[in-house]
Each structure stands twice: as structure tokens, then as C-alpha cells.
């Protein structure tokens, strides 16, 4: 597995919040991509119904994953490809290395794939003496910098052009430039050589199709097409949940994916790959291998409360809407999946206790649910994770002391009855009259509540609640 | 191989167990995931009976959609106008001297080589796939495509809603023709423009398509030029694939219809 640093969330988040480059970058990213997605949904001819349909389609597929995979296996083999099943990261890496050995592979090019980051594929391949080159521009940049990606769609979002310019100057030996077009051209030239010399292309899989055995892959850059056309071997690694039943499902799901990712009606390129090259074709790989990965997903599948998270198509939309992500960036989440999806998925994959700050650190504002192209209810699952953590016990303190427990219990008791709520409201109004200063503000609260007023004033409650005034007709 | 088969069964049973089933799903695929025959038929009919007026409206939609993403859509009255148009484009680009092209009914016998020779360009074709293509021939093609300034292809369909060219893998029509060169020029007929991805899948599932391989081992959708926003969100064209795309649409009534279906008939 990739290095897990979820325990360091608070430290990493704190550091990120003081990074001015990151601050600016994320504000721009969210304004462009997040708003773009929401605008894109409004342009859909089917309106919000398409997202509901997308959700139903994904849940239906997840609920019958066994049937889909049985069909997929048959189809992939019939098309001349090979399919493998990996229980965990170690197995997936071993299968990949075996394939590389069998085809005498030395040089590998990679399309952007979160699942390959999840299993820590690159370091393992390099350790085995293979050259691995990321080809998505953002992934290429973070690879040169020796970092991990900080965003699903824009892996190098945390860098500005000056930093990238200096990086390219150092690593590619080119004259310094901070012009994106110049830098992109340099990357194009360098990566073109890699594509043409590579023995193997490794990609993820956006959505496989059980009906026909095709692997559906999208990109804007064209690197996926390159990696799946030029090298003699193509290896695709898929999380087991990345599958749909019928080809016609792509008409719904790829349109939603493209809009959720970047507000586009359709990504620049979509490849539907069904098998290796046929003898009468002029290009294409000689061998196609599909590796289906479990790595903790089966456990999620078995849990009805969290099964819905498997509907995710990794568009990155939730990152583009989340106010928390906006301030702390992707690396703070300490594992390959950042943002709201990471706050739910990472704990389920690496352990609730270990990654608890991820789901505790979200605000439950619901922006992620509003932007998700397939209407996944992430806030529901964030709450469920908190509940799950509490009730699992085992040395985890529910409250930080008897006082806190008493306070929460008192609050719960008060709020669970209309009569007690009204009495408390009335009491607060009376108390507020005494605690306020001449301007109607409370400057100091007693005891633990003083933590609130240490840096801000609290407006005193009105003498009469709004509801009472309405009822009284004023 | 026997080992792997067992592994697939084990995997599937594991999923069934996780979903609370005793063993792998008892039902058939078609029962749980029925294909919407009714809708497929309706969409096929919609396309088959489309009037020229509606077809032209789709063309306008394509132009608007493509324009928004800087893809040029150029109407030509007939195939006779194609060779001069491509030659003019090559001239405008001040391109290097080699182009690559598909083996395609639209592109043969239109005087393309001659028109290109006049602007100092030559065209390289792939093996037509009537026989097996060997490794050396693949290499030759790859080198030509990697050097070429422009790749000329046809397409099976063009989806107006998303400005998507749909290209299925066929002998003599390699995918790298629309990938390696810096400019991609595609030629389609007016009636190849369809409304939506839903129509595309309905057409591919039609009885007529069953004789020909319906999806093939690689179907490629191209909906814009290659681009990235990975550096500070600034959009840069031509990252790995072509930076420029031009779609020629033959809008006059006299041209060979449904070239991909004809191609399959002749094989």
C-alpha cells in the first residue's frame, strides 16, 4: 500500500493552511472546476433526473457486483484479453510484475490512476528495476518533484507556474520558463519519446462494461490513448466497483463524469478497449491484461451503511466544492484519496481509528453531495463514520471528561422535548438580559463557555423569540 | 488457465457472500440488467427517418458545440471539394511534408495525393489489412504517424450534443492516425451526424450491426483537441494528442453513404 499518513492530518492541515501558494491555487481551482460542474449540470437536457438515474444505475450495479464480474470475466477472455484478481495491494503488484517479466518489459508509461497510487505500484516497479514514467502532465510534474498527487483531476494543483518552471529547469535541463505553453511543450517532447520507447502501458479504468468486456477510459490530454495504443502490453487495474452493466450506461455515466470533473459535456478522449490488437490491424498492443482489485472494497460492499461509497466514479467534484479541502489541500488527508470522498473512503480502507480526523474534520455542509454527479450522500456516511467510531469503544474516549458528557447529555435531554426547549429559550433570554452590555452583546461567558467569547462577542438572545413574535402577530 | 478460472469463481463467490447471497447470483444477466429494447428501437427509428432539415439542424448544433471548444467544422458540398480543402489547410499550416491517412472510401480516388503534391506534401497510408500486418509494417506506420504533421481519418458517427467523433478500430484505419500527428482532420457525411450518445448505442445494438463487429476491440471517441489545465488551470492545447482538430462535413446529397457499412461489406 502507498504510505499512509492519515494520523498526521492535524499537523499537515495546519501547515497547509499557512501556504500562500496553495491557498491561491485552490481558490482558483474551485472557482473554475467546482462552479463549472454546477453550471454543467444546469445545461443537461434531462436536468437533475440524469443524476438520479446515474445514482440508481451505480447502486444497481454495486448491488449485483457478483453477476457483473462473472459476465465481465467471460467477455474479457472471449475478446482475447486476460483477467486477474488481486485480493490486496501486494497481490496486485505481484501480478503486474509477473506480466512485466513474461513480456520482458523494461520501460513503462502510466496513465493517471488513483488505484495504482493506492497500492503503491510505482515504487514497487522501480524497486524491481523497471523504469516507470507518469504521462499525465500533472502526474509527471509530481513524479519529477518526488511527491504524491494532491487532487484527483489536477495532481499538481498545489504548485504555481514558477515552481514548475524551476522544477523543469532542474530535472529536464531546459532554460527557465514559467509560461504554461512552453512548459507543456517541453513535457510533450519528453513524454513522446517515452511513449514510443515503452514496452508496457499501465492505466486505471474509469468504468468497465460487463456486457461486452470493454474497459472505458477517459482523458483530456491523450496520454491514455498513447499508453494503450503504442506499447506492446496494456495493463489496466480496476477497483472492483468500477464496472457497469451495459454499453448504453456510458451515455449516462461518462456524460455525468465529464461534467462532475470539469464541467465538460464530454472529456476530450474516451477509449473503449475490448481486447488486444487483431492480426489485420495496424496498431494496438499485443496483449491486454485487466487486474481486478479488492484491497478492502469487499468489506465495504458487505456493509450496507457504506456500500453507497462504491458508487463513486472518482470525478473529483467533491474536492472542488469542499470548504475544508479548499483550506487544507490534498496532502493533508494523508492517503491517496483527498477531499470528502477521501474522508469517507480512506477510513474504510485504512481503519477508522487511524483516519478519524479525516471524517471528524469535515463540516457536513453538504456541498459535496450537491456537486456529486451520481448524488452520493457523503454527509450521511461522514456522520455514520463518527457514530461507528464512538460505538466501537475500545479505549476511545467518548467525551473529554465527565463535565463534557454531562453537558451533552443535558443538551440532548433539553432538545428532545418541545416544552423543555421553550423553557430553556425563555431562560436564555432572561439570562442574556443580565449578561449583555449596553450594545446588546455578551462579552464574557462563564466557565468552559468562555472559550467562545475569548476572541469574539456573542449577540444576546432577544427578549422574545421570532416564533413567539409571529404567533403574537407583531 | 485452469488456475485463473478458479480464481474468477472464487472472486465472484466472495462478492456474492459480501452481498448476503449463499453463492454466486442465480439470475441471468439479462434478467437483472434488461436492455431497453423499446427505447433502442425508438432511437433507431428516429435516426433512420430523420429528415434532411433535422439533419441540417444537427449540423448547426455540431458547429456551435465545436466552436465553443475551438474545433473547426467546415461544410463541403461534395467529395470533389475535399482534396483542395485539405491541401489548402496543409498550405496554411506550412506543415512538414508528410501526412498520414486512413484507407477510407472518402479518401480514395479524390485526387488527394496530387493536390498535396502541389503544396509540397506527401501522404502515407497504412497497410489495408486485407492480409495480416506484420511487426515491421506496424513499425513503418508508427514512424510515419509520429513524423506526420497531420492525420486524416473518417469516422463512423459524429455526436452533435458533445461534438464527438466516433471511430471504431478497423484494418487500414489505425487509431494512431488521429493521435500522433499535430493536426487531426476528419471527414464525415452529413447523415453520419447523430444527436446523442444514447442514439449511438442504440445504433450499435441494432440488428444491422450484429453482422459487423459492433464495438470492435477499440472504439475511440474524440470530442476536442488534446488539452490540459494542469499548470495553474491555464488551458494549453496539444499536450500529447493533436493540438488542432478540423472536421469536414460533406453536406451535399451526392456522396457514398454509410462508408463504414460499405467497408465491411467489401471485406
Amino acid at each position: 500500500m502507498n504510505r499512509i499518513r492519515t494520523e498526521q492530518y492535524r499537523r499537515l492541515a495546519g501547515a497547509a493552511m499557512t501556504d500562500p501558494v496553495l491557498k491561491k491555487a485552490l481558490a482558483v481551482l474551485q472557482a473554475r472546476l467546482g462552479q463549472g460542474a454546477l453550471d454543467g449540470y444546469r445545461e443537461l437536457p434531462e436536468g437533475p433526473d440524469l443524476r438520479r438515474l446515474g445514482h440508481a444505475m451505480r447502486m444497481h450495479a454495486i448491488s449485483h457486483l457478483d453477476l457483473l464480474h462473472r459476465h465481465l470475466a467471460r467477455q474479457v477472455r472471449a475478446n482475447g484479453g486476460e483477467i486477474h484478481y488481486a485480493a490486496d495491494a501486494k497481490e496486485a503488484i505481484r501480478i503486474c510484475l509477473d506480466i512485466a517479466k513474461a513480456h520482458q518489459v523494461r520501460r513503462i508509461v502510466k496513465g493517471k490512476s488513483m488505484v495504482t497510487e493506492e497500492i503503491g505500484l510505482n515504487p514497487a516497479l522501480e524497486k524491481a528495476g523497471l523504469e516507470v514514467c507518469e504521462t499525465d502532465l500533472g502526474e509527471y510534474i509530481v513524479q519529477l518533484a518526488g511527491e504524491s498527487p494532491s487532487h484527483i483531476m489536477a495532481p499538481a494543483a498545489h504548485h504555481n507556474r514558477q515552481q514548475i518552471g524551476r522544477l523543469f529547469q532542474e530535472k529536464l535541463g531546459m532554460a527557465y520558463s514559467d509560461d504554461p505553453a512552453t512548459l507543456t511543450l517541453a513535457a510533450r517532447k519528453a513524454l513522446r519519446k517515452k511513449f514510443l520507447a515503452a514496452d508496457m502501458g499501465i492505466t486505471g479504468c474509469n468504468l468497465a462494461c460487463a456486457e461486452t468486456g470493454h474497459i472505458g477510459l477517459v482523458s483530456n490530454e491523450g496520454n491514455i490513448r498513447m499508453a494503450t495504443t503504442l506499447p506492446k502490453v496494456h495493463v489496466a487495474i480496476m477497483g472492483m466497483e468500477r464496472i457497469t452493466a451495459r454499453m448504453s450506461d456510458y451515455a449516462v455515466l461518462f456524460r455525468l463524469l465529464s461534467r462532475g470533473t470539469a464541467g465538460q459535456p464530454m472529456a476530450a478522449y474516451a477509449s473503449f478497449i475490448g481486447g488486444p490488437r487483431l492480426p489485420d490491424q495496424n496498431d494496438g498492443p499485443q496483449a491486454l491484461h485487466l487486474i481486478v482489485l479488492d484491497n478492502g472494497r469487499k468489506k465495504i460492499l458487505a456493509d450496507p451503511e457504506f456500500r453507497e461509497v462504491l458508487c463513486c466514479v472518482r470525478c473529483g467534484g467533491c474536492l472542488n466544492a469542499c470548504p475544508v479541502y479548499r483550506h487544507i489541500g490534498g496532502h493533508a488527508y494523508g492517503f491517496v484519496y483527498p477531499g470528502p470522498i477521501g474522508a469517507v473512503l480512506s477510513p474504510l480502507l485504512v481503519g477508522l481509528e487511524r483516519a478519524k480526523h479525516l471524517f471528524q474534520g469535515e463540516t457536513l455542509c453538504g456541498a459535496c453531495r450537491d456537486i456529486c454527479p451520481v448524488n452520493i450522500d457523503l454527509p450521511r456516511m461522514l456522520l455514520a463514520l463518527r457514530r461507528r467510531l464512538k460505538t466501537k469503544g475500545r479505549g476511545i474516549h467518548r467525551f473529554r471528561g465527565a463535565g463534557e458528557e454531562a453537558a451533552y447529555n443535558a443538551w440532548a435531554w433539553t432538545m428532545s422535548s418541545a416544552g423543555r426547549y421553550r423553557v430553556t429559550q425563555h431562560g436564555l433570554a432572561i439570562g442574556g438580559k443580565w449578561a449583555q452590555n449596553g450594545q446588546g452583546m455578551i462579552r464574557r461567558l462563564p466557565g468552559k463557555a468562555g472559550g467562545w467569547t475569548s476572541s469574539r462577542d456573542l449577540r444576546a438572545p432577544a427578549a422574545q423569540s421570532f416564533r413567539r413574535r409571529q404567533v403574537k402577530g407583531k | 488457465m485452469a488456475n485463473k478460472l478458479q480464481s474468477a469463481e472464487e472472486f465472484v463467490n466472495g462478492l456474492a457472500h459480501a452481498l448476503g447471497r449463499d453463492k454466486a447470483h442465480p439470475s441471468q444477466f439479462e434478467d437483472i440488467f434488461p436492455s431497453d429494447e423499446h427505447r433502442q428501437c425508438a432511437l433507431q427509428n428516429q435516426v433512420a427517418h430523420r429528415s434532411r432539415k433535422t439533419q441540417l439542424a444537427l449540423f448547426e448544433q455540431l458547429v456551435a458545440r465545436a466552436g465553443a471548444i475551438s474545433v473547426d467544422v467546415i461544410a463541403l458540398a461534395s467529395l470533389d471539394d475535399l482534396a483542395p480543402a485539405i491541401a489548402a489547410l496543409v498550405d496554411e499550416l506550412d506543415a512538414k511534408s508528410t501526412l498520414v491517412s486512413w484507407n477510407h472510401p472518402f479518401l480514395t480516388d479524390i485526387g488527394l495525393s496530387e493536390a498535396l503534391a502541389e503544396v509540397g506534401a506527401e501522404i502515407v497510408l497504412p497497410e489495408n489489412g486485407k492480409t495480416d500486418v506484420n511487426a515491421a509494417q506496424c513499425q513503418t506506420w508508427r514512424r510515419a504517424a509520429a513524423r506526420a504533421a497531420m492525420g486524416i481519418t473518417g469516422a463512423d458517427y459524429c455526436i452533435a450534443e458533445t461534438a464527438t467523433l466516433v471511430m471504431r478500430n478497423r484494418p487500414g484505419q489505425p487509431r494512431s492516425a488521429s493521435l500522433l500527428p499535430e493536426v487531426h482532420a476528419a471527414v464525415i457525411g452529413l447523415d453520419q451526424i447523430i444527436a446523442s450518445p444514447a442514439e449511438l448505442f442504440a445504433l450499435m445494438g441494432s440488428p444491422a450491426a450484429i453482422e459487423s463487429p459492433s464495438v470492435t476491440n477499440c472504439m475511440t471517441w474524440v470530442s476536442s483537441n488534446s488539452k490540459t489545465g494542469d499548470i495553474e488551470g491555464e488551458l494549453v492545447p496539444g499536450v500529447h494528442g493533436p493540438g488542432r482538430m478540423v472536421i469536414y462535413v460533406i453536406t451535399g446529397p451526392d456522396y457514398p453513404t454509410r462508408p463504414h457499412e460499405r467497408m465491411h461489406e467489401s471485406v
Side-chain angles (χ1 to χ4, degrees):
Chain A
M1 284 266 253
N2 203 339
R3 199 164 130 236
I4 299 165
R5 304 202 301 171
T6 52
E7 299 92 333
Q8 298 180 41
Y9 176 87
R10 293 168 87 161
R11 183 182 70 79
L12 294 169
M17 286 195 290
T18 59
D19 180 346
V21 172
L22 185 66
K23 213 185 184 105
K24 182 156 174 249
L26 293 176
V28 169
L29 181 104
Q30 288 204 334
R32 184 170 61 94
L33 296 182
Q35 193 54 50
L38 294 171
D39 292 340
Y41 296 145
R42 273 190 276 275
E43 288 171 15
L44 284 170
E46 299 94 331
D49 281 344
L50 191 69
R51 290 165 72 184
R52 289 184 199 115
L53 177 61
H55 185 267
M57 214 175 249
R58 289 299 293 141
M59 277 307 289
H60 192 55
I62 298 301
S63 313
H64 300 278
L65 216 52
D66 50 344
L67 185 58
L68 288 179
H69 273 285
R70 197 170 67 196
H71 210 84
L72 179 75
R74 211 178 301 147
Q75 290 302 122
V76 169
R77 292 194 178 114
N79 294 340
E82 285 190 54
I83 188 163
H84 316 260
Y85 299 92
D88 56 24
K90 242 173 59 177
E91 254 184 47
I93 290 171
R94 186 182 60 77
I95 294 167
C96 217
L97 286 172
D98 286 347
I99 296 168
K101 195 152 164 244
H103 291 274
Q104 287 129 15
V105 166
R106 282 184 301 139
R107 286 177 289 258
I108 299 173
V109 285
K110 271 190 73 216
K112 179 169 62 189
S113 161
M114 302 309 284
V115 80
T116 62
E117 298 274 343
E118 180 188 325
I119 63 175
L121 184 63
N122 288 14
L125 294 174
E126 280 161 354
K127 208 163 140 210
L130 300 166
E131 178 197 288
V132 183
C133 190
E134 291 288 346
T135 62
D136 171 88
L137 179 61
E139 290 280 354
Y140 180 59
I141 290 168
V142 299
Q143 185 182 38
L144 286 177
E147 298 167 345
S148 56
S150 69
H151 189 286
I152 291 174
M153 164 72 171
H158 54 290
H159 283 301
N160 63 17
R161 62 184 69 194
Q162 288 84 9
Q163 289 168 336
I164 298 169
R166 278 194 292 276
L167 180 71
F168 276 27
Q169 183 186 28
E170 184 198 325
K171 299 283 180 176
L172 301 182
M174 62 183 269
Y176 174 81
S177 166
D178 60 18
D179 170 46
T182 309
L183 293 169
T184 304
L185 184 62
R188 178 191 167 102
K189 287 202 174 108
L191 290 169
R192 184 58 75 104
K193 292 200 188 90
K194 299 283 183 187
F195 281 123
L196 291 168
D199 312 301
M200 183 153 104
I202 300 179
T203 67
C205 167
N206 290 99
L207 275 172
C209 176
E211 179 186 19
T212 60
H214 281 79
I215 301 161
L217 286 158
V218 297
S219 87
N220 278 322
E221 297 185 7
N223 59 320
I224 301 278
R225 287 183 65 196
M226 293 276 201
T228 58
T229 302
L230 298 172
K232 63 184 186 210
V233 184
H234 172 207
V235 174
I237 305 181
M238 66 179 276
M240 64 187 215
E241 79 283 11
R242 306 299 288 278
I243 184 171
T244 196
R246 300 248 176 220
M247 283 297 280
S248 53
D249 296 348
Y250 288 117
V252 174
L253 295 171
F254 270 6
R255 287 167 66 214
L256 288 171
L257 172 63
S258 299
R259 285 184 199 262
T261 302
Q264 294 175 299
M266 183 59 63
Y269 301 118
S271 300
F272 302 87
I273 293 165
R277 168 183 172 263
L278 295 173
D280 57 0
Q281 290 173 340
N282 310 89
D283 55 16
Q286 289 155 19
L288 171 65
H289 293 265
L290 177 61
I291 304 176
V292 182
L293 180 72
D294 176 353
N295 206 31
R297 288 157 174 75
K298 201 165 63 188
K299 230 176 73 195
I300 301 175
L301 183 69
D303 191 336
E305 193 158 39
F306 296 110
R307 195 174 288 166
E308 191 188 0
V309 82
L310 296 176
C311 295
C312 176
V313 289
R314 305 285 191 271
C315 70
C318 52
L319 279 69
N320 299 331
C322 178
V324 176
Y325 178 86
R326 153 90 164 269
H327 288 284
I328 69 175
H331 290 147
Y333 291 81
F335 189 53
V336 68
Y337 301 108
I341 184 63
V344 176
L345 193 57
S346 301
L348 292 171
L349 291 177
V350 312
L352 264 66
E353 176 58 33
R354 201 171 173 186
K356 67 181 179 211
H357 290 144
L358 269 62
F359 54 86
Q360 287 176 339
E362 294 294 327
T363 64
L364 305 175
C365 70
C368 52
R369 184 182 43 208
D370 291 343
I371 203 169
C372 177
V374 289
N375 290 357
I376 296 172
D377 196 348
L378 285 170
R380 174 188 70 79
M381 288 187 279
L382 288 166
L383 273 173
L385 282 167
R386 293 180 185 181
R387 220 168 18 240
R388 189 67 71 89
L389 183 73
K390 231 164 64 118
T391 55
K392 257 172 101 165
R394 253 188 272 152
I396 301 163
H397 291 291
R398 291 178 64 196
F399 299 107
R400 271 173 292 194
E404 192 179 285
E405 180 166 3
Y408 272 105
N409 285 339
W411 184 75
W413 180 78
T414 310
M415 297 298 267
S416 55
S417 141
R420 291 196 286 268
Y421 178 76
R422 269 200 300 276
V423 165
T424 308
Q425 244 187 345
H426 202 59
L428 284 174
I430 294 172
K433 240 193 351 207
W434 288 102
Q436 64 183 276
N437 63 10
Q439 282 86 39
M441 301 300 281
I442 299 171
R443 304 220 62 214
R444 236 166 51 98
L445 286 172
K448 287 278 183 181
W452 181 274
T453 49
S454 69
S455 56
R456 72 205 108 178
D457 295 341
L458 182 65
R459 177 161 271 289
Q464 259 191 355
S465 76
F466 183 75
R467 267 178 76 236
R468 251 186 95 74
R469 279 167 54 198
Q470 293 297 80
V471 162
K472 279 194 153 175
K474 289 218 174 84
Chain B
M1 199 54 181
N3 234 4
K4 278 179 200 146
L5 270 170
Q6 195 175 16
S7 195
E9 270 315 294
E10 273 171 8
F11 179 76
V12 169
N13 286 331
L15 295 179
H17 185 71
L19 286 162
R21 288 191 255 280
D22 282 335
K23 54 186 170 77
H25 211 297
S27 313
Q28 290 299 331
F29 182 81
E30 288 71 24
D31 297 328
I32 302 296
F33 300 101
S35 65
D36 194 344
E37 299 277 347
H38 184 76
R39 181 152 189 256
Q40 305 281 63
C41 268
L43 289 168
Q44 285 160 20
N45 284 332
Q46 186 171 285
V47 177
H49 298 118
R50 190 158 272 153
S51 68
R52 187 171 161 83
K53 185 161 161 235
T54 316
Q55 205 64 49
L56 286 166
L58 282 179
F59 170 75
E60 293 303 327
Q61 190 189 2
L62 172 66
V63 170
R65 179 67 222 127
I69 48 173
S70 310
V71 171
D72 296 322
V73 178
I74 298 170
L76 299 175
S78 82
L79 273 176
D80 294 331
D81 302 320
L82 185 58
I86 292 178
L89 176 62
V90 170
D91 204 27
E92 174 206 319
L93 295 172
D94 200 15
K96 294 178 269 215
S97 55
T98 319
L99 282 70
V100 290
S101 162
W102 274 9
N103 270 304
H104 190 278
F106 279 179
L107 301 168
T108 48
D109 300 326
I110 57 165
L112 189 55
S113 307
E114 293 81 359
L116 288 171
E118 277 176 34
V119 290
E122 60 159 4
I123 200 155
V124 173
L125 291 165
E127 299 298 321
N128 62 14
K130 289 247 160 62
T131 55
D132 287 358
V133 182
N134 64 37
Q137 287 166 326
C138 283
Q139 265 300 100
T140 307
W141 164 258
R142 173 195 285 216
R143 267 197 298 272
R147 260 191 1 250
M150 184 154 89
I152 311 169
T153 72
D156 288 358
Y157 300 101
C158 184
I159 302 172
E161 178 192 317
T162 48
T164 300
L165 288 167
V166 178
M167 292 174 285
R168 289 179 286 184
N169 224 1
R170 280 192 194 83
Q173 300 183 347
R175 22 180 155 158
S176 44
S178 61
L179 177 64
L180 290 171
E182 280 164 32
V183 180
H184 172 209
V187 186
I188 57 170
L190 179 67
D191 72 347
Q192 287 178 275
I193 303 175
I194 56 178
S196 63
E199 278 190 5
L200 173 73
F201 290 115
L203 290 171
M204 287 199 319
S206 74
I210 289 172
E211 279 126 14
S212 66
S214 74
V215 188
T216 71
N217 65 344
C218 181
M219 173 171 67
T220 305
W221 289 5
V222 174
S223 306
S224 92
N225 56 342
S226 152
K227 56 199 176 186
T228 184
D230 277 343
I231 300 177
E232 282 194 6
E234 195 170 299
L235 216 57
V236 178
V239 195
H240 298 294
R244 180 153 174 207
M245 255 181 75
V246 182
I247 305 177
Y248 295 104
V249 183
I250 314 293
T251 54
D254 306 315
Y255 64 91
T257 54
R258 307 247 188 265
H260 49 287
E261 288 165 17
R262 282 179 67 240
M263 270 219 72
H264 193 77
E265 281 164 28
S266 64
V267 167

